[in-house]
């Protein structure tokens, strides 16, 4: 399936094809989330990234769920929005508990606060990898 819609529900993350005639699951449901809010997809490595406000962590999993891991588990206030920069190999997220925007490598390493002033509870983020 080349195009699909991901969404979160209380019991996890799901995906459906954009073609209404296609009845196949686009995504094996990802369970074990408490309150997944921000979701993004890295198509090149077929990986889903999400923020979980209930468990206060950032996680990722292969779309076929051959593996799943938590990549940021500490120092988060109330993380919500997430965006994957598939060209630079970074993830960006908003933390409206600490009023920050942070960046890290796709595996959660080399974490860095990029904006900490002048924010009032940031909740969403988007990046344009091709334009930097």
């Amino acid at each position: 399936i080349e195009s699909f819609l991901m969404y979160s529900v209380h019991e996890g993350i799901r995906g459906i094809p954009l073609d209404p005639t296609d009845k196949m699951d686009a995504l094996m449901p990802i369970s074990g989330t408490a309150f997944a809010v921000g979701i993004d997809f890295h198509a090149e490595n077929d990986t889903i990234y999400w923020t979980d406000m209930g468990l206060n962590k950032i996680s990722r999993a292969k779309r076929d769920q051959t593996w799943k891991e938590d990549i940021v588990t500490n120092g988060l206030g109330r993380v919500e929005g997430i965006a994957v920069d598939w060209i630079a190999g970074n993830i960006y997220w908003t933390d409206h508990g600490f009023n920050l925007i942070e960046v890290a490598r796709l595996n959660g390493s080399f974490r860095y606060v990029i904006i900490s002033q002048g924010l009032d509870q940031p909740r969403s983020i988007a990046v344009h990898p091709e334009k930097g």
Side-chain angles (χ1 to χ4, degrees):
I1 297 174
E2 292 185 22
S3 299
F4 63 98
L5 172 71
M6 287 187 306
Y7 63 97
S8 63
V9 292
H10 286 294
E11 62 270 8
I13 299 169
R14 299 184 175 267
I16 57 172
L18 292 178
D19 179 357
T21 62
D22 190 347
K23 302 301 179 196
M24 216 168 96
D25 282 336
L27 173 67
M28 181 184 299
I30 298 173
S31 60
T33 65
F35 189 31
V37 178
I39 306 170
D40 205 353
F41 182 65
H42 188 310
E44 185 177 320
N45 63 21
D46 207 29
T47 304
I48 298 162
Y49 290 78
W50 70 92
T51 62
D52 192 322
M53 285 183 20
L55 300 174
N56 208 29
K57 63 184 178 180
I58 299 173
S59 304
R60 68 180 178 176
K62 280 288 200 188
R63 184 165 55 144
D64 64 6
Q65 293 192 47
T66 53
W67 62 262
K68 177 178 163 182
E69 67 179 336
D70 301 329
I71 56 175
V72 179
T73 59
N74 58 33
L76 298 172
R78 193 162 165 84
V79 65
E80 191 164 334
I82 191 167
V84 173
D85 179 343
W86 47 271
I87 291 177
N90 294 323
I91 54 170
Y92 295 82
W93 66 90
T94 59
D95 188 324
H96 76 264
F98 291 146
N99 290 322
L100 303 171
I101 296 177
E102 294 190 63
V103 63
R105 301 298 293 163
L106 291 174
N107 64 5
S109 66
F110 300 104
R111 184 173 167 184
Y112 185 75
V113 174
I114 56 173
I115 301 176
S116 62
Q117 301 295 317
L119 297 175
D120 184 19
Q121 299 182 336
R123 301 188 75 180
S124 305
I125 192 164
V127 296
H128 194 305
E130 292 175 338
K131 291 187 176 183

